[in-house]
PDB file of all heavy atoms in Angstrom:
ATOM      1  N   THR A 242      -9.464  12.209  -8.368  1.00  0.00           N
ATOM      2  CA  THR A 242      -9.841  11.079  -7.527  1.00  0.00           C
ATOM      3  C   THR A 242      -9.210   9.783  -8.028  1.00  0.00           C
ATOM      4  O   THR A 242      -9.156   9.537  -9.238  1.00  0.00           O
ATOM      5  CB  THR A 242     -11.372  10.917  -7.490  1.00  0.00           C
ATOM      6  OG1 THR A 242     -11.955  12.116  -6.962  1.00  0.00           O
ATOM      7  CG2 THR A 242     -11.784   9.752  -6.600  1.00  0.00           C
ATOM      8  N   VAL A 243      -8.741   8.985  -7.085  1.00  0.00           N
ATOM      9  CA  VAL A 243      -8.262   7.644  -7.359  1.00  0.00           C
ATOM     10  C   VAL A 243      -9.178   6.667  -6.618  1.00  0.00           C
ATOM     11  O   VAL A 243      -9.657   6.968  -5.529  1.00  0.00           O
ATOM     12  CB  VAL A 243      -6.788   7.473  -6.952  1.00  0.00           C
ATOM     13  CG1 VAL A 243      -6.580   7.700  -5.471  1.00  0.00           C
ATOM     14  CG2 VAL A 243      -6.246   6.110  -7.371  1.00  0.00           C
ATOM     15  N   TYR A 244      -9.413   5.527  -7.252  1.00  0.00           N
ATOM     16  CA  TYR A 244     -10.353   4.550  -6.711  1.00  0.00           C
ATOM     17  C   TYR A 244      -9.654   3.215  -6.451  1.00  0.00           C
ATOM     18  O   TYR A 244      -8.650   2.877  -7.066  1.00  0.00           O
ATOM     19  CB  TYR A 244     -11.488   4.306  -7.704  1.00  0.00           C
ATOM     20  CG  TYR A 244     -12.236   5.553  -8.108  1.00  0.00           C
ATOM     21  CD1 TYR A 244     -11.922   6.206  -9.298  1.00  0.00           C
ATOM     22  CD2 TYR A 244     -13.245   6.074  -7.308  1.00  0.00           C
ATOM     23  CE1 TYR A 244     -12.603   7.351  -9.683  1.00  0.00           C
ATOM     24  CE2 TYR A 244     -13.938   7.215  -7.683  1.00  0.00           C
ATOM     25  CZ  TYR A 244     -13.606   7.851  -8.871  1.00  0.00           C
ATOM     26  OH  TYR A 244     -14.283   8.984  -9.248  1.00  0.00           O
ATOM     27  N   LEU A 245     -10.234   2.455  -5.546  1.00  0.00           N
ATOM     28  CA  LEU A 245      -9.820   1.080  -5.344  1.00  0.00           C
ATOM     29  C   LEU A 245     -11.084   0.231  -5.262  1.00  0.00           C
ATOM     30  O   LEU A 245     -11.817   0.294  -4.271  1.00  0.00           O
ATOM     31  CB  LEU A 245      -8.991   0.922  -4.077  1.00  0.00           C
ATOM     32  CG  LEU A 245      -8.402  -0.484  -3.867  1.00  0.00           C
ATOM     33  CD1 LEU A 245      -7.341  -0.776  -4.946  1.00  0.00           C
ATOM     34  CD2 LEU A 245      -7.801  -0.634  -2.470  1.00  0.00           C
ATOM     35  N   GLN A 246     -11.341  -0.517  -6.321  1.00  0.00           N
ATOM     36  CA  GLN A 246     -12.472  -1.442  -6.337  1.00  0.00           C
ATOM     37  C   GLN A 246     -12.012  -2.758  -5.733  1.00  0.00           C
ATOM     38  O   GLN A 246     -11.072  -3.380  -6.234  1.00  0.00           O
ATOM     39  CB  GLN A 246     -12.973  -1.658  -7.763  1.00  0.00           C
ATOM     40  CG  GLN A 246     -14.113  -2.656  -7.881  1.00  0.00           C
ATOM     41  CD  GLN A 246     -15.381  -2.153  -7.237  1.00  0.00           C
ATOM     42  OE1 GLN A 246     -15.779  -1.012  -7.412  1.00  0.00           O
ATOM     43  NE2 GLN A 246     -16.051  -3.025  -6.477  1.00  0.00           N
ATOM     44  N   MET A 247     -12.685  -3.179  -4.678  1.00  0.00           N
ATOM     45  CA  MET A 247     -12.285  -4.380  -3.959  1.00  0.00           C
ATOM     46  C   MET A 247     -13.400  -5.412  -4.058  1.00  0.00           C
ATOM     47  O   MET A 247     -14.498  -5.189  -3.548  1.00  0.00           O
ATOM     48  CB  MET A 247     -11.991  -4.048  -2.493  1.00  0.00           C
ATOM     49  CG  MET A 247     -10.966  -2.944  -2.317  1.00  0.00           C
ATOM     50  SD  MET A 247     -10.500  -2.684  -0.588  1.00  0.00           S
ATOM     51  CE  MET A 247     -12.044  -2.133   0.087  1.00  0.00           C
ATOM     52  N   ASN A 248     -13.119  -6.505  -4.724  1.00  0.00           N
ATOM     53  CA  ASN A 248     -14.074  -7.591  -4.898  1.00  0.00           C
ATOM     54  C   ASN A 248     -13.576  -8.841  -4.188  1.00  0.00           C
ATOM     55  O   ASN A 248     -12.407  -8.933  -3.821  1.00  0.00           O
ATOM     56  CB  ASN A 248     -14.285  -7.882  -6.381  1.00  0.00           C
ATOM     57  CG  ASN A 248     -14.844  -6.709  -7.149  1.00  0.00           C
ATOM     58  OD1 ASN A 248     -15.588  -5.886  -6.608  1.00  0.00           O
ATOM     59  ND2 ASN A 248     -14.495  -6.612  -8.425  1.00  0.00           N
ATOM     60  N   SER A 249     -14.473  -9.782  -4.016  1.00  0.00           N
ATOM     61  CA  SER A 249     -14.131 -11.065  -3.374  1.00  0.00           C
ATOM     62  C   SER A 249     -13.360 -10.835  -2.076  1.00  0.00           C
ATOM     63  O   SER A 249     -12.311 -11.440  -1.833  1.00  0.00           O
ATOM     64  CB  SER A 249     -13.309 -11.928  -4.338  1.00  0.00           C
ATOM     65  OG  SER A 249     -14.017 -12.170  -5.530  1.00  0.00           O
ATOM     66  N   LEU A 250     -13.885  -9.960  -1.269  1.00  0.00           N
ATOM     67  CA  LEU A 250     -13.193  -9.589  -0.036  1.00  0.00           C
ATOM     68  C   LEU A 250     -13.045 -10.773   0.911  1.00  0.00           C
ATOM     69  O   LEU A 250     -13.899 -11.665   0.974  1.00  0.00           O
ATOM     70  CB  LEU A 250     -13.949  -8.455   0.663  1.00  0.00           C
ATOM     71  CG  LEU A 250     -13.759  -7.078   0.026  1.00  0.00           C
ATOM     72  CD1 LEU A 250     -14.828  -6.109   0.506  1.00  0.00           C
ATOM     73  CD2 LEU A 250     -12.373  -6.527   0.331  1.00  0.00           C
ATOM     74  N   LYS A 251     -11.941 -10.736   1.631  1.00  0.00           N
ATOM     75  CA  LYS A 251     -11.620 -11.774   2.609  1.00  0.00           C
ATOM     76  C   LYS A 251     -11.434 -11.134   3.985  1.00  0.00           C
ATOM     77  O   LYS A 251     -11.066  -9.950   4.075  1.00  0.00           O
ATOM     78  CB  LYS A 251     -10.326 -12.486   2.205  1.00  0.00           C
ATOM     79  CG  LYS A 251     -10.342 -13.098   0.824  1.00  0.00           C
ATOM     80  CD  LYS A 251      -8.980 -13.687   0.495  1.00  0.00           C
ATOM     81  CE  LYS A 251      -8.973 -14.305  -0.901  1.00  0.00           C
ATOM     82  NZ  LYS A 251      -7.632 -14.878  -1.239  1.00  0.00           N
ATOM     83  N   PRO A 252     -11.632 -11.882   5.053  1.00  0.00           N
ATOM     84  CA  PRO A 252     -11.398 -11.304   6.387  1.00  0.00           C
ATOM     85  C   PRO A 252      -9.995 -10.732   6.542  1.00  0.00           C
ATOM     86  O   PRO A 252      -9.811  -9.736   7.255  1.00  0.00           O
ATOM     87  CB  PRO A 252     -11.626 -12.505   7.313  1.00  0.00           C
ATOM     88  CG  PRO A 252     -12.605 -13.358   6.585  1.00  0.00           C
ATOM     89  CD  PRO A 252     -12.228 -13.224   5.130  1.00  0.00           C
ATOM     90  N   GLU A 253      -9.032 -11.309   5.872  1.00  0.00           N
ATOM     91  CA  GLU A 253      -7.654 -10.799   5.972  1.00  0.00           C
ATOM     92  C   GLU A 253      -7.446  -9.476   5.243  1.00  0.00           C
ATOM     93  O   GLU A 253      -6.373  -8.883   5.350  1.00  0.00           O
ATOM     94  CB  GLU A 253      -6.648 -11.840   5.470  1.00  0.00           C
ATOM     95  CG  GLU A 253      -6.957 -12.409   4.099  1.00  0.00           C
ATOM     96  CD  GLU A 253      -7.681 -13.743   4.190  1.00  0.00           C
ATOM     97  OE1 GLU A 253      -8.617 -13.865   5.015  1.00  0.00           O
ATOM     98  OE2 GLU A 253      -7.330 -14.653   3.406  1.00  0.00           O
ATOM     99  N   ASP A 254      -8.462  -9.001   4.548  1.00  0.00           N
ATOM    100  CA  ASP A 254      -8.395  -7.668   3.945  1.00  0.00           C
ATOM    101  C   ASP A 254      -8.759  -6.581   4.953  1.00  0.00           C
ATOM    102  O   ASP A 254      -8.647  -5.389   4.653  1.00  0.00           O
ATOM    103  CB  ASP A 254      -9.348  -7.570   2.751  1.00  0.00           C
ATOM    104  CG  ASP A 254      -8.934  -8.469   1.599  1.00  0.00           C
ATOM    105  OD1 ASP A 254      -7.720  -8.566   1.321  1.00  0.00           O
ATOM    106  OD2 ASP A 254      -9.829  -9.069   0.963  1.00  0.00           O
ATOM    107  N   THR A 255      -9.185  -6.973   6.132  1.00  0.00           N
ATOM    108  CA  THR A 255      -9.541  -6.011   7.168  1.00  0.00           C
ATOM    109  C   THR A 255      -8.327  -5.174   7.556  1.00  0.00           C
ATOM    110  O   THR A 255      -7.275  -5.717   7.919  1.00  0.00           O
ATOM    111  CB  THR A 255     -10.090  -6.733   8.413  1.00  0.00           C
ATOM    112  OG1 THR A 255     -11.318  -7.388   8.064  1.00  0.00           O
ATOM    113  CG2 THR A 255     -10.340  -5.761   9.553  1.00  0.00           C
ATOM    114  N   ALA A 256      -8.473  -3.853   7.461  1.00  0.00           N
ATOM    115  CA  ALA A 256      -7.364  -2.937   7.733  1.00  0.00           C
ATOM    116  C   ALA A 256      -7.857  -1.502   7.564  1.00  0.00           C
ATOM    117  O   ALA A 256      -8.961  -1.279   7.064  1.00  0.00           O
ATOM    118  CB  ALA A 256      -6.201  -3.194   6.773  1.00  0.00           C
ATOM    119  N   VAL A 257      -7.014  -0.582   7.952  1.00  0.00           N
ATOM    120  CA  VAL A 257      -7.214   0.818   7.568  1.00  0.00           C
ATOM    121  C   VAL A 257      -6.509   1.013   6.233  1.00  0.00           C
ATOM    122  O   VAL A 257      -5.334   0.661   6.093  1.00  0.00           O
ATOM    123  CB  VAL A 257      -6.648   1.781   8.625  1.00  0.00           C
ATOM    124  CG1 VAL A 257      -6.814   3.221   8.161  1.00  0.00           C
ATOM    125  CG2 VAL A 257      -7.343   1.565   9.966  1.00  0.00           C
ATOM    126  N   TYR A 258      -7.233   1.561   5.280  1.00  0.00           N
ATOM    127  CA  TYR A 258      -6.700   1.769   3.933  1.00  0.00           C
ATOM    128  C   TYR A 258      -6.347   3.241   3.740  1.00  0.00           C
ATOM    129  O   TYR A 258      -7.148   4.128   4.042  1.00  0.00           O
ATOM    130  CB  TYR A 258      -7.716   1.326   2.889  1.00  0.00           C
ATOM    131  CG  TYR A 258      -7.775  -0.181   2.745  1.00  0.00           C
ATOM    132  CD1 TYR A 258      -8.329  -0.968   3.743  1.00  0.00           C
ATOM    133  CD2 TYR A 258      -7.249  -0.813   1.626  1.00  0.00           C
ATOM    134  CE1 TYR A 258      -8.363  -2.357   3.627  1.00  0.00           C
ATOM    135  CE2 TYR A 258      -7.277  -2.200   1.492  1.00  0.00           C
ATOM    136  CZ  TYR A 258      -7.832  -2.959   2.510  1.00  0.00           C
ATOM    137  OH  TYR A 258      -7.851  -4.325   2.387  1.00  0.00           O
ATOM    138  N   TYR A 259      -5.135   3.453   3.207  1.00  0.00           N
ATOM    139  CA  TYR A 259      -4.621   4.799   2.991  1.00  0.00           C
ATOM    140  C   TYR A 259      -4.310   5.012   1.514  1.00  0.00           C
ATOM    141  O   TYR A 259      -3.774   4.113   0.855  1.00  0.00           O
ATOM    142  CB  TYR A 259      -3.317   5.005   3.762  1.00  0.00           C
ATOM    143  CG  TYR A 259      -3.429   4.838   5.255  1.00  0.00           C
ATOM    144  CD1 TYR A 259      -3.259   3.594   5.851  1.00  0.00           C
ATOM    145  CD2 TYR A 259      -3.688   5.940   6.067  1.00  0.00           C
ATOM    146  CE1 TYR A 259      -3.346   3.445   7.225  1.00  0.00           C
ATOM    147  CE2 TYR A 259      -3.779   5.801   7.447  1.00  0.00           C
ATOM    148  CZ  TYR A 259      -3.610   4.547   8.014  1.00  0.00           C
ATOM    149  OH  TYR A 259      -3.694   4.409   9.368  1.00  0.00           O
ATOM    150  N   CYS A 260      -4.596   6.200   1.027  1.00  0.00           N
ATOM    151  CA  CYS A 260      -4.094   6.552  -0.295  1.00  0.00           C
ATOM    152  C   CYS A 260      -2.908   7.496  -0.117  1.00  0.00           C
ATOM    153  O   CYS A 260      -2.764   8.146   0.924  1.00  0.00           O
ATOM    154  CB  CYS A 260      -5.169   7.180  -1.168  1.00  0.00           C
ATOM    155  SG  CYS A 260      -5.683   8.836  -0.669  1.00  0.00           S
ATOM    156  N   ALA A 261      -2.074   7.529  -1.135  1.00  0.00           N
ATOM    157  CA  ALA A 261      -0.862   8.328  -1.072  1.00  0.00           C
ATOM    158  C   ALA A 261      -0.450   8.766  -2.464  1.00  0.00           C
ATOM    159  O   ALA A 261      -0.759   8.091  -3.459  1.00  0.00           O
ATOM    160  CB  ALA A 261       0.264   7.519  -0.417  1.00  0.00           C
ATOM    161  N   ALA A 262       0.264   9.888  -2.513  1.00  0.00           N
ATOM    162  CA  ALA A 262       0.778  10.431  -3.765  1.00  0.00           C
ATOM    163  C   ALA A 262       2.298  10.354  -3.759  1.00  0.00           C
ATOM    164  O   ALA A 262       2.936  10.673  -2.752  1.00  0.00           O
ATOM    165  CB  ALA A 262       0.327  11.875  -3.947  1.00  0.00           C
ATOM    166  N   VAL A 263       2.866   9.953  -4.896  1.00  0.00           N
ATOM    167  CA  VAL A 263       4.317   9.774  -4.964  1.00  0.00           C
ATOM    168  C   VAL A 263       5.052  11.103  -4.925  1.00  0.00           C
ATOM    169  O   VAL A 263       4.485  12.155  -5.150  1.00  0.00           O
ATOM    170  CB  VAL A 263       4.729   9.010  -6.241  1.00  0.00           C
ATOM    171  CG1 VAL A 263       4.126   7.616  -6.240  1.00  0.00           C
ATOM    172  CG2 VAL A 263       4.319   9.781  -7.482  1.00  0.00           C
ATOM    173  N   ARG A 264       6.363  11.042  -4.663  1.00  0.00           N
ATOM    174  CA  ARG A 264       7.202  12.238  -4.624  1.00  0.00           C
ATOM    175  C   ARG A 264       7.553  12.735  -6.023  1.00  0.00           C
ATOM    176  O   ARG A 264       7.700  13.934  -6.232  1.00  0.00           O
ATOM    177  CB  ARG A 264       8.512  11.912  -3.894  1.00  0.00           C
ATOM    178  CG  ARG A 264       8.327  11.477  -2.469  1.00  0.00           C
ATOM    179  CD  ARG A 264       9.672  11.230  -1.801  1.00  0.00           C
ATOM    180  NE  ARG A 264       9.492  10.709  -0.462  1.00  0.00           N
ATOM    181  CZ  ARG A 264       9.218  11.447   0.594  1.00  0.00           C
ATOM    182  NH1 ARG A 264       9.134  12.764   0.468  1.00  0.00           N
ATOM    183  NH2 ARG A 264       9.062  10.894   1.779  1.00  0.00           N
ATOM    184  N   THR A 265       7.688  11.818  -6.966  1.00  0.00           N
ATOM    185  CA  THR A 265       8.229  12.153  -8.283  1.00  0.00           C
ATOM    186  C   THR A 265       7.107  12.391  -9.284  1.00  0.00           C
ATOM    187  O   THR A 265       6.266  11.523  -9.494  1.00  0.00           O
ATOM    188  CB  THR A 265       9.135  11.025  -8.800  1.00  0.00           C
ATOM    189  OG1 THR A 265      10.144  10.771  -7.830  1.00  0.00           O
ATOM    190  CG2 THR A 265       9.760  11.418 -10.120  1.00  0.00           C
ATOM    191  N   LEU A 266       7.118  13.560  -9.913  1.00  0.00           N
ATOM    192  CA  LEU A 266       6.093  13.874 -10.906  1.00  0.00           C
ATOM    193  C   LEU A 266       6.328  13.093 -12.190  1.00  0.00           C
ATOM    194  O   LEU A 266       7.474  12.824 -12.568  1.00  0.00           O
ATOM    195  CB  LEU A 266       6.107  15.365 -11.223  1.00  0.00           C
ATOM    196  CG  LEU A 266       5.897  16.325 -10.053  1.00  0.00           C
ATOM    197  CD1 LEU A 266       5.922  17.760 -10.555  1.00  0.00           C
ATOM    198  CD2 LEU A 266       4.584  16.029  -9.374  1.00  0.00           C
ATOM    199  N   TYR A 267       5.227  12.734 -12.822  1.00  0.00           N
ATOM    200  CA  TYR A 267       5.247  12.146 -14.156  1.00  0.00           C
ATOM    201  C   TYR A 267       6.121  10.898 -14.258  1.00  0.00           C
ATOM    202  O   TYR A 267       6.706  10.631 -15.311  1.00  0.00           O
ATOM    203  CB  TYR A 267       5.704  13.162 -15.201  1.00  0.00           C
ATOM    204  CG  TYR A 267       4.801  14.365 -15.304  1.00  0.00           C
ATOM    205  CD1 TYR A 267       5.243  15.631 -14.951  1.00  0.00           C
ATOM    206  CD2 TYR A 267       3.485  14.234 -15.735  1.00  0.00           C
ATOM    207  CE1 TYR A 267       4.406  16.734 -15.038  1.00  0.00           C
ATOM    208  CE2 TYR A 267       2.635  15.322 -15.817  1.00  0.00           C
ATOM    209  CZ  TYR A 267       3.113  16.574 -15.473  1.00  0.00           C
ATOM    210  OH  TYR A 267       2.274  17.655 -15.561  1.00  0.00           O
ATOM    211  N   SER A 268       6.194  10.149 -13.171  1.00  0.00           N
ATOM    212  CA  SER A 268       6.957   8.912 -13.231  1.00  0.00           C
ATOM    213  C   SER A 268       6.232   7.894 -14.090  1.00  0.00           C
ATOM    214  O   SER A 268       5.028   7.706 -13.978  1.00  0.00           O
ATOM    215  CB  SER A 268       7.170   8.355 -11.831  1.00  0.00           C
ATOM    216  OG  SER A 268       7.792   7.086 -11.897  1.00  0.00           O
ATOM    217  N   GLY A 269       6.979   7.209 -14.933  1.00  0.00           N
ATOM    218  CA  GLY A 269       6.389   6.208 -15.821  1.00  0.00           C
ATOM    219  C   GLY A 269       6.248   4.849 -15.188  1.00  0.00           C
ATOM    220  O   GLY A 269       5.751   3.913 -15.829  1.00  0.00           O
ATOM    221  N   ALA A 270       6.669   4.739 -13.937  1.00  0.00           N
ATOM    222  CA  ALA A 270       6.603   3.454 -13.245  1.00  0.00           C
ATOM    223  C   ALA A 270       5.889   3.619 -11.914  1.00  0.00           C
ATOM    224  O   ALA A 270       5.934   4.670 -11.293  1.00  0.00           O
ATOM    225  CB  ALA A 270       8.010   2.912 -13.020  1.00  0.00           C
ATOM    226  N   THR A 271       5.238   2.555 -11.493  1.00  0.00           N
ATOM    227  CA  THR A 271       4.645   2.553 -10.159  1.00  0.00           C
ATOM    228  C   THR A 271       5.691   2.106  -9.142  1.00  0.00           C
ATOM    229  O   THR A 271       6.742   1.571  -9.495  1.00  0.00           O
ATOM    230  CB  THR A 271       3.457   1.585 -10.089  1.00  0.00           C
ATOM    231  OG1 THR A 271       3.913   0.263 -10.429  1.00  0.00           O
ATOM    232  CG2 THR A 271       2.358   2.001 -11.062  1.00  0.00           C
ATOM    233  N   THR A 272       5.403   2.334  -7.868  1.00  0.00           N
ATOM    234  CA  THR A 272       6.332   1.922  -6.826  1.00  0.00           C
ATOM    235  C   THR A 272       5.559   1.388  -5.633  1.00  0.00           C
ATOM    236  O   THR A 272       4.549   1.976  -5.250  1.00  0.00           O
ATOM    237  CB  THR A 272       7.254   3.072  -6.397  1.00  0.00           C
ATOM    238  OG1 THR A 272       8.022   2.646  -5.254  1.00  0.00           O
ATOM    239  CG2 THR A 272       6.465   4.310  -6.012  1.00  0.00           C
ATOM    240  N   PRO A 273       6.025   0.312  -5.021  1.00  0.00           N
ATOM    241  CA  PRO A 273       5.362  -0.249  -3.840  1.00  0.00           C
ATOM    242  C   PRO A 273       5.959   0.237  -2.514  1.00  0.00           C
ATOM    243  O   PRO A 273       5.527  -0.203  -1.443  1.00  0.00           O
ATOM    244  CB  PRO A 273       5.579  -1.743  -4.004  1.00  0.00           C
ATOM    245  CG  PRO A 273       6.934  -1.824  -4.626  1.00  0.00           C
ATOM    246  CD  PRO A 273       7.050  -0.611  -5.525  1.00  0.00           C
ATOM    247  N   TYR A 274       6.944   1.133  -2.584  1.00  0.00           N
ATOM    248  CA  TYR A 274       7.700   1.490  -1.387  1.00  0.00           C
ATOM    249  C   TYR A 274       7.148   2.733  -0.711  1.00  0.00           C
ATOM    250  O   TYR A 274       7.004   3.788  -1.339  1.00  0.00           O
ATOM    251  CB  TYR A 274       9.168   1.697  -1.738  1.00  0.00           C
ATOM    252  CG  TYR A 274       9.788   0.488  -2.382  1.00  0.00           C
ATOM    253  CD1 TYR A 274      10.166   0.498  -3.723  1.00  0.00           C
ATOM    254  CD2 TYR A 274       9.962  -0.689  -1.659  1.00  0.00           C
ATOM    255  CE1 TYR A 274      10.706  -0.624  -4.320  1.00  0.00           C
ATOM    256  CE2 TYR A 274      10.505  -1.822  -2.248  1.00  0.00           C
ATOM    257  CZ  TYR A 274      10.867  -1.780  -3.576  1.00  0.00           C
ATOM    258  OH  TYR A 274      11.398  -2.898  -4.163  1.00  0.00           O
ATOM    259  N   LEU A 275       6.892   2.644   0.589  1.00  0.00           N
ATOM    260  CA  LEU A 275       6.341   3.766   1.337  1.00  0.00           C
ATOM    261  C   LEU A 275       7.210   5.014   1.216  1.00  0.00           C
ATOM    262  O   LEU A 275       6.692   6.125   1.147  1.00  0.00           O
ATOM    263  CB  LEU A 275       6.190   3.391   2.819  1.00  0.00           C
ATOM    264  CG  LEU A 275       4.925   2.662   3.235  1.00  0.00           C
ATOM    265  CD1 LEU A 275       4.935   1.228   2.752  1.00  0.00           C
ATOM    266  CD2 LEU A 275       4.770   2.719   4.757  1.00  0.00           C
ATOM    267  N   ARG A 276       8.503   4.842   1.166  1.00  0.00           N
ATOM    268  CA  ARG A 276       9.425   5.978   1.162  1.00  0.00           C
ATOM    269  C   ARG A 276       9.295   6.823  -0.114  1.00  0.00           C
ATOM    270  O   ARG A 276       9.731   7.964  -0.162  1.00  0.00           O
ATOM    271  CB  ARG A 276      10.870   5.503   1.286  1.00  0.00           C
ATOM    272  CG  ARG A 276      11.327   4.627   0.118  1.00  0.00           C
ATOM    273  CD  ARG A 276      12.799   4.256   0.238  1.00  0.00           C
ATOM    274  NE  ARG A 276      13.248   3.413  -0.864  1.00  0.00           N
ATOM    275  CZ  ARG A 276      13.271   2.093  -0.832  1.00  0.00           C
ATOM    276  NH1 ARG A 276      12.861   1.447   0.252  1.00  0.00           N
ATOM    277  NH2 ARG A 276      13.708   1.404  -1.869  1.00  0.00           N
ATOM    278  N   ASP A 277       8.678   6.251  -1.140  1.00  0.00           N
ATOM    279  CA  ASP A 277       8.518   6.961  -2.405  1.00  0.00           C
ATOM    280  C   ASP A 277       7.266   7.838  -2.438  1.00  0.00           C
ATOM    281  O   ASP A 277       7.018   8.525  -3.426  1.00  0.00           O
ATOM    282  CB  ASP A 277       8.464   5.974  -3.563  1.00  0.00           C
ATOM    283  CG  ASP A 277       9.805   5.278  -3.782  1.00  0.00           C
ATOM    284  OD1 ASP A 277      10.844   5.887  -3.443  1.00  0.00           O
ATOM    285  OD2 ASP A 277       9.804   4.135  -4.262  1.00  0.00           O
ATOM    286  N   TYR A 278       6.490   7.814  -1.374  1.00  0.00           N
ATOM    287  CA  TYR A 278       5.235   8.558  -1.315  1.00  0.00           C
ATOM    288  C   TYR A 278       5.383   9.745  -0.370  1.00  0.00           C
ATOM    289  O   TYR A 278       5.839   9.595   0.763  1.00  0.00           O
ATOM    290  CB  TYR A 278       4.089   7.642  -0.887  1.00  0.00           C
ATOM    291  CG  TYR A 278       3.750   6.627  -1.959  1.00  0.00           C
ATOM    292  CD1 TYR A 278       4.494   5.462  -2.094  1.00  0.00           C
ATOM    293  CD2 TYR A 278       2.725   6.859  -2.867  1.00  0.00           C
ATOM    294  CE1 TYR A 278       4.216   4.544  -3.100  1.00  0.00           C
ATOM    295  CE2 TYR A 278       2.437   5.949  -3.869  1.00  0.00           C
ATOM    296  CZ  TYR A 278       3.187   4.794  -3.979  1.00  0.00           C
ATOM    297  OH  TYR A 278       2.916   3.898  -4.979  1.00  0.00           O
ATOM    298  N   ALA A 279       4.977  10.904  -0.854  1.00  0.00           N
ATOM    299  CA  ALA A 279       5.198  12.142  -0.101  1.00  0.00           C
ATOM    300  C   ALA A 279       3.964  12.592   0.683  1.00  0.00           C
ATOM    301  O   ALA A 279       4.105  13.264   1.701  1.00  0.00           O
ATOM    302  CB  ALA A 279       5.619  13.252  -1.052  1.00  0.00           C
ATOM    303  N   PHE A 280       2.784  12.279   0.185  1.00  0.00           N
ATOM    304  CA  PHE A 280       1.555  12.787   0.784  1.00  0.00           C
ATOM    305  C   PHE A 280       0.634  11.611   1.095  1.00  0.00           C
ATOM    306  O   PHE A 280       0.494  10.705   0.269  1.00  0.00           O
ATOM    307  CB  PHE A 280       0.860  13.764  -0.161  1.00  0.00           C
ATOM    308  CG  PHE A 280       1.744  14.854  -0.664  1.00  0.00           C
ATOM    309  CD1 PHE A 280       2.211  14.840  -1.969  1.00  0.00           C
ATOM    310  CD2 PHE A 280       2.127  15.890   0.165  1.00  0.00           C
ATOM    311  CE1 PHE A 280       3.036  15.835  -2.441  1.00  0.00           C
ATOM    312  CE2 PHE A 280       2.961  16.900  -0.297  1.00  0.00           C
ATOM    313  CZ  PHE A 280       3.419  16.872  -1.595  1.00  0.00           C
ATOM    314  N   TRP A 281      -0.006  11.692   2.264  1.00  0.00           N
ATOM    315  CA  TRP A 281      -0.844  10.582   2.734  1.00  0.00           C
ATOM    316  C   TRP A 281      -2.192  11.086   3.223  1.00  0.00           C
ATOM    317  O   TRP A 281      -2.292  12.176   3.788  1.00  0.00           O
ATOM    318  CB  TRP A 281      -0.150   9.860   3.895  1.00  0.00           C
ATOM    319  CG  TRP A 281       1.080   9.127   3.476  1.00  0.00           C
ATOM    320  CD1 TRP A 281       2.337   9.647   3.313  1.00  0.00           C
ATOM    321  CD2 TRP A 281       1.176   7.746   3.136  1.00  0.00           C
ATOM    322  NE1 TRP A 281       3.198   8.667   2.897  1.00  0.00           N
ATOM    323  CE2 TRP A 281       2.506   7.484   2.788  1.00  0.00           C
ATOM    324  CE3 TRP A 281       0.253   6.700   3.111  1.00  0.00           C
ATOM    325  CZ2 TRP A 281       2.950   6.212   2.405  1.00  0.00           C
ATOM    326  CZ3 TRP A 281       0.694   5.441   2.738  1.00  0.00           C
ATOM    327  CH2 TRP A 281       2.024   5.209   2.390  1.00  0.00           C
ATOM    328  N   GLY A 282      -3.206  10.265   3.026  1.00  0.00           N
ATOM    329  CA  GLY A 282      -4.500  10.543   3.615  1.00  0.00           C
ATOM    330  C   GLY A 282      -4.566  10.020   5.034  1.00  0.00           C
ATOM    331  O   GLY A 282      -3.610   9.438   5.551  1.00  0.00           O
TER     332      GLY A 282
END
Side-chain angles (χ1 to χ4, degrees):
T242 300
V243 61
Y244 304 98
L245 186 67
Q246 177 67 45
M247 305 186 296
N248 299 329
S249 301
L250 284 163
K251 303 176 180 180
E253 51 263 44
D254 294 320
T255 295
V257 177
Y258 283 71
Y259 300 89
C260 70
V263 298
R264 299 182 185 279
T265 305
L266 302 181
Y267 299 114
S268 174
T271 59
T272 173
Y274 303 111
L275 275 73
R276 63 176 180 266
D277 292 332
Y278 291 82
F280 308 106
W281 292 83

